[in-house]
Amino acid sequence: MPKPTITDIAKALDITASTVSRALAGSPKVSQATRMLVERKAAEMGYERNVLASSLRRGVTDTVGMVVPRVNRQFFSNIISGAEAVLNPAGYNLIISQSHEHSEDERRAIQTLLRNQVSGILISHSIETKDAEAFKDMLASTGVTVIQFDRAFEGIGDLCVVNDNFECARSATRHLIESGYERIGYMGGDESSNVYVDRKAGYMAAMREAGLEVNDDYMFSNCITRDKGFYNAAKAVERGCGALYCAGDYAALGVIEYARDKGIKIPEDFGVVGTANENFTDVVYPSLSSVEQNSTEMGTAVAKAFLDIKSGKALNTDKIIIPTRLIVRDSSKRRKY
Amino acid sequence: MPKPTITDIAKALDITASTVSRALAGSPKVSQATRMLVERKAAEMGYERNVLASSLRRGVTDTVGMVVPRVNRQFFSNIISGAEAVLNPAGYNLIISQSHEHSEDERRAIQTLLRNQVSGILISHSIETKDAEAFKDMLASTGVTVIQFDRAFEGIGDLCVVNDNFECARSATRHLIESGYERIGYMGGDESSNVYVDRKAGYMAAMREAGLEVNDDYMFSNCITRDKGFYNAAKAVERGCGALYCAGDYAALGVIEYARDKGIKIPEDFGVVGTANENFTDVVYPSLSSVEQNSTEMGTAVAKAFLDIKSGKALNTDKIIIPTRLIVRDSSKRRKY
DNA sequence: TTGTAAGCGTTATCAA
DNA sequence: TTGATAACGCTTACAA
């Protein structure tokens, strides 16, 4: 037999569907007796509310969509996990879509979510997405709550949640300076992203504050992969660089491997600090100092912000900053002199 | 203004909603002229079909639910990624739920999916779920297609997709034997799971085939974490064990770290092979030999099987086996003698 | 406290 | 080829 509906329950009890609906919804305007009866019958028949019909009728859904570049990246899967932990107990469920770092996929994902009448969209933009015009257009006149996180554009959506990328880079760089390294360089990513703009600025600030000059010979952008890190480490060393703050752990890993290849001693002769605290950082040898981004916390913050907005709670900010934390491991533990 | 509906489009063009619906659905029973008109108007008004209403009316959804223990584990996030890559182009979208390794969360997740009228459930059971009775009951009389993967129970669902866990362990163990290691032990997980039952059997088979005896002193179950690996490595070494096949990479990592601590040389004095090919395996020193599970491929296989079943294609099997592949790295590269 | 009736947006059937 | 009408399962005024 097919799935039972409230009408089936109503018939079985010789009452109307509205009463059943009210009883199941926990409405106070229904007698204890009938409520019991309805609940028992519903359980007996294995009834489950049809969310489609309910949402259609109510005009709202309890579904939230999240768009990330890739789910199989630790940072994002932690965010998903954190968001779920907050959203599910609150009665919402999460649809995940991937942009695979492409604007077109991102656009499609958003459209699908919109068609599914999600009540909110939580998004971290693809690297290919350079501005938010298309995004803005799509969302126009839909009442969905939009929260951007990590990679965010100004002036779009209800709120954004980001790491303190400036401070992240600043503290890491300062740590290298204080550990006695000299001629400290920077490896970063594409500067169309707020993330790398801020990290670069943080690095520069730390250098400036210490009265050190920034040398373009030691600056590498578009350098966040293991290969690029390895490749550019060679250039950096050749040019006399003594330490690198890397805005990504994979590049930092490449640096360590280059050093190992060339017999350059880390941390004695060269210092490295990465970013993201990937799960290989305390496995690589020497272990890699890195900045923890608290990604799970970012996920819970995004979800909480969504719930707050939905419940009409005024948020006294349009930007939530998730703090980062420098974790010092062996790759930057030089004895000061 | 609120989101436009087909009725709005119909009014604007002075035709009926049925015609608009047909035009947008690409029905052949509508003139070229009106189709053009409708399409243009729809685009102009920024119309998006309301999936809720459509699904309710049609009685089917294009939504598939997936339940995994945790999304932030490489193995599962790869599976999600692989499944999405197949499902999305086919017009389906995926709702992800996590069980956090708890039966109760798993039950809730399934219920939510059912309420959302998913047309399929793709599930890898939580470690806490020891049998499939509850699962069976919930699914009774719902017509959803069920595909289990990785952790699966017999006789449930339409199909299951698993690794060749037996062969995985057998080939890894054989490799250790052929590399000249002696007194080879095993570190595995909870044997209420088909995964670890099969891997242990594979290990035993390889030993038997080589005429070697299995020594209980070198067998460790419930040992898949870094800490447990470290802890039990001590016991193993003390008891004269010469190599370990670990059914999980984290335990293997613990073994490597114990050896490093004690000055035991890997691969010269001790051999280790892990399982899962986690992304730290080629970063740890010495690099860890491991068995690649082809998780992304498992994801695509699960999704394809779902599509095949939906399209009525008869599957000539009730179990799809995803092959594994041993990747030999330094931790087991002993010169034979 | 319960019943009646209408409607959410879409699609399928039937008739024109 | 298009239109009128009903229905999917649920919720909610309003009436009783």
Side-chain angles (χ1 to χ4, degrees):
Chain A
M1 75 224 128
K3 300 185 195 173
T5 68
I6 53 171
T7 315
D8 297 329
I9 298 177
K11 275 193 193 126
L13 294 173
D14 204 31
I15 54 178
T16 62
S18 18
T19 306
V20 176
S21 173
R22 279 187 287 253
L24 259 22
S27 159
K29 9 176 37 177
V30 63
S31 76
Q32 274 303 323
T34 46
R35 160 160 308 135
M36 293 278 287
L37 242 43
V38 168
E39 279 170 357
R40 180 164 317 165
K41 201 73 187 174
E44 179 194 324
M45 299 175 76
Y47 170 81
E48 292 286 349
R49 167 188 284 121
N50 184 327
V51 174
L52 260 44
S54 172
S55 296
L56 178 61
R57 175 59 236 250
R58 289 182 302 133
V60 293
T61 65
D62 300 329
T63 305
V64 177
M66 181 180 278
V67 185
V68 293
R70 311 204 110 94
V71 296
N72 56 346
R73 209 175 292 156
Q74 203 62 30
F75 179 73
F76 292 116
S77 59
N78 284 343
I79 288 175
I80 293 171
S81 186
E84 261 230 331
V86 171
L87 255 17
N88 287 351
Y92 284 93
N93 51 330
L94 199 58
I95 301 185
I96 315 288
S97 291
Q98 308 186 71
S99 65
H100 300 107
E101 303 287 13
H102 292 309
S103 301
E104 182 52 25
D105 284 15
E106 182 170 309
R107 203 187 53 70
R108 257 201 300 269
I110 294 168
Q111 230 162 23
T112 303
L113 295 176
L114 255 22
R115 273 199 290 266
N116 278 276
Q117 314 298 118
V118 292
S119 66
I121 292 184
L122 318 176
I123 183 171
S124 181
H125 295 282
S126 82
I127 202 95
E128 206 181 270
T129 306
K130 303 295 186 194
D131 68 80
E133 287 315 306
F135 187 50
K136 217 172 182 173
D137 289 349
M138 297 180 67
L139 262 29
S141 91
T142 74
V144 303
T145 299
V146 174
I147 302 182
Q148 300 175 104
F149 59 91
D150 192 45
R151 297 192 200 140
F153 294 108
E154 301 284 337
I156 310 290
D158 297 77
L159 190 77
C160 80
V161 182
V162 291
N163 272 133
D164 192 346
N165 287 304
F166 178 86
E167 190 51 35
C168 152
R170 184 159 164 254
S171 65
T173 307
R174 190 192 292 149
H175 159 67
L176 284 169
I177 296 169
E178 289 172 352
S179 299
Y181 291 102
E182 290 174 341
R183 298 176 307 285
I184 298 164
Y186 170 82
M187 281 183 173
D190 189 322
E191 279 159 40
S192 65
S193 162
N194 58 305
V195 173
Y196 296 111
V197 169
D198 291 354
R199 289 187 191 161
K200 186 174 181 179
Y203 158 81
M204 309 256 272
M207 294 293 278
R208 192 180 341 104
E209 286 160 10
L212 297 173
E213 80 177 76
V214 169
N215 187 334
D216 276 350
D217 283 355
Y218 311 149
M219 303 288 285
F220 303 90
S221 62
N222 190 13
C223 179
I224 50 168
T225 65
R226 193 170 176 173
D227 287 350
K228 290 259 175 67
F230 189 99
Y231 177 76
N232 286 325
K235 288 195 187 173
V237 166
E238 193 176 286
R239 294 170 184 170
C241 177
L244 281 162
Y245 163 63
C246 305
D249 277 337
Y250 285 93
L253 174 58
V255 173
I256 287 180
E257 291 178 320
Y258 174 78
R260 190 189 297 151
D261 258 32
K262 296 293 166 189
I264 297 167
K265 278 193 183 150
I266 291 179
E268 293 81 355
D269 303 337
F270 200 93
V272 196
V273 177
T275 310
N277 199 27
E278 298 279 352
N279 65 3
F280 64 75
T281 48
D282 66 341
V283 163
V284 65
Y285 185 81
S287 64
L288 177 62
S289 299
S290 188
V291 186
E292 166 63 44
Q293 298 184 266
N294 296 315
S295 42
T296 306
E297 192 186 331
M298 183 178 284
T300 60
V302 170
K304 274 183 192 146
F306 168 79
L307 294 179
D308 284 350
I309 291 173
K310 278 293 161 189
S311 68
K313 199 174 292 177
L315 290 172
N316 52 2
T317 171
D318 58 352
K319 196 178 224 175
I320 293 176
I321 309 281
I322 305 297
T324 61
R325 186 169 56 91
L326 174 66
I327 298 175
V328 177
R329 297 200 181 87
D330 294 338
S331 69
S332 61
K333 269 191 193 150
R334 177 194 239 179
R335 252 203 325 273
K336 286 161 209 147
Y337 50 91
Chain B
M1 73 225 131
K3 299 185 196 174
T5 69
I6 53 171
T7 315
D8 297 328
I9 299 178
K11 275 194 194 124
L13 294 174
D14 204 30
I15 53 179
T16 62
S18 352
T19 305
V20 175
S21 174
R22 279 188 286 254
L24 259 22
S27 157
K29 6 174 46 176
V30 62
S31 76
Q32 273 303 324
T34 46
R35 159 160 308 134
M36 293 277 287
L37 241 45
V38 169
E39 278 169 358
R40 181 164 315 164
K41 201 71 186 174
E44 178 195 323
M45 299 175 76
Y47 170 80
E48 292 285 347
R49 165 187 285 120
N50 184 327
V51 174
L52 260 43
S54 174
S55 296
L56 177 60
R57 177 59 239 245
R58 290 183 302 134
V60 292
T61 65
D62 299 329
T63 306
V64 177
M66 182 182 276
V67 185
V68 294
R70 311 204 109 94
V71 297
N72 56 348
R73 209 176 292 158
Q74 203 63 30
F75 179 72
F76 292 117
S77 59
N78 284 344
I79 288 174
I80 294 171
S81 187
E84 261 229 330
V86 172
L87 254 19
N88 288 352
Y92 284 92
N93 51 329
L94 200 58
I95 301 185
I96 315 287
S97 291
Q98 306 187 73
S99 65
H100 301 107
E101 302 287 12
H102 293 310
S103 302
E104 183 51 26
D105 284 16
E106 182 171 308
R107 204 188 53 71
R108 258 201 300 269
I110 294 167
Q111 230 162 23
T112 302
L113 295 177
L114 254 22
R115 274 199 289 265
N116 278 276
Q117 314 298 119
V118 292
S119 66
I121 291 184
L122 317 177
I123 183 171
S124 181
H125 295 282
S126 82
I127 203 95
E128 206 180 271
T129 307
K130 304 294 187 193
D131 68 79
E133 288 315 307
F135 186 50
K136 216 170 180 174
D137 289 351
M138 297 181 67
L139 264 28
S141 92
T142 73
V144 302
T145 300
V146 174
I147 302 182
Q148 300 175 103
F149 60 90
D150 192 45
R151 297 192 200 140
F153 294 108
E154 301 283 337
I156 310 289
D158 297 77
L159 190 77
C160 81
V161 182
V162 291
N163 273 133
D164 192 345
N165 288 303
F166 179 86
E167 190 51 34
C168 152
R170 183 158 165 255
S171 65
T173 308
R174 191 191 292 149
H175 158 70
L176 285 169
I177 296 169
E178 288 172 351
S179 300
Y181 292 103
E182 289 173 343
R183 299 176 307 285
I184 299 166
Y186 169 83
M187 282 183 171
D190 190 321
E191 279 159 40
S192 64
S193 161
N194 58 305
V195 172
Y196 296 111
V197 169
D198 291 354
R199 289 186 191 161
K200 186 173 180 180
Y203 158 80
M204 309 257 271
M207 295 293 277
R208 194 182 339 106
E209 286 160 10
L212 298 172
E213 82 177 76
V214 170
N215 187 334
D216 276 350
D217 283 356
Y218 313 149
M219 303 287 287
F220 303 90
S221 62
N222 191 12
C223 178
I224 50 167
T225 65
R226 193 169 176 173
D227 287 350
K228 290 260 176 68
F230 190 98
Y231 177 76
N232 286 326
K235 289 194 185 172
V237 166
E238 194 176 287
R239 296 169 184 169
C241 177
L244 282 162
Y245 163 63
C246 305
D249 278 336
Y250 284 93
L253 175 58
V255 174
I256 286 181
E257 292 177 320
Y258 174 77
R260 190 190 295 153
D261 259 32
K262 296 294 167 189
I264 297 167
K265 279 192 181 149
I266 290 180
E268 293 82 354
D269 303 338
F270 200 93
V272 196
V273 177
T275 310
N277 198 28
E278 298 279 353
N279 66 3
F280 64 76
T281 47
D282 66 341
V283 164
V284 65
Y285 185 82
S287 63
L288 176 62
S289 299
S290 187
V291 185
E292 166 63 44
Q293 298 184 266
N294 296 314
S295 42
T296 307
E297 191 186 331
M298 182 178 286
T300 60
V302 170
K304 274 183 191 146
F306 168 79
L307 294 180
D308 284 349
I309 291 173
K310 277 294 161 190
S311 67
K313 200 176 289 178
L315 290 171
N316 52 2
T317 171
D318 58 352
K319 195 177 225 173
I320 294 176
I321 310 280
I322 305 297
T324 61
R325 186 168 56 89
L326 173 66
I327 297 175
V328 177
R329 296 200 181 86
D330 294 339
S331 69
S332 60
K333 269 192 192 147
R334 177 194 239 180
R335 252 203 326 272
K336 286 158 207 146
Y337 51 90

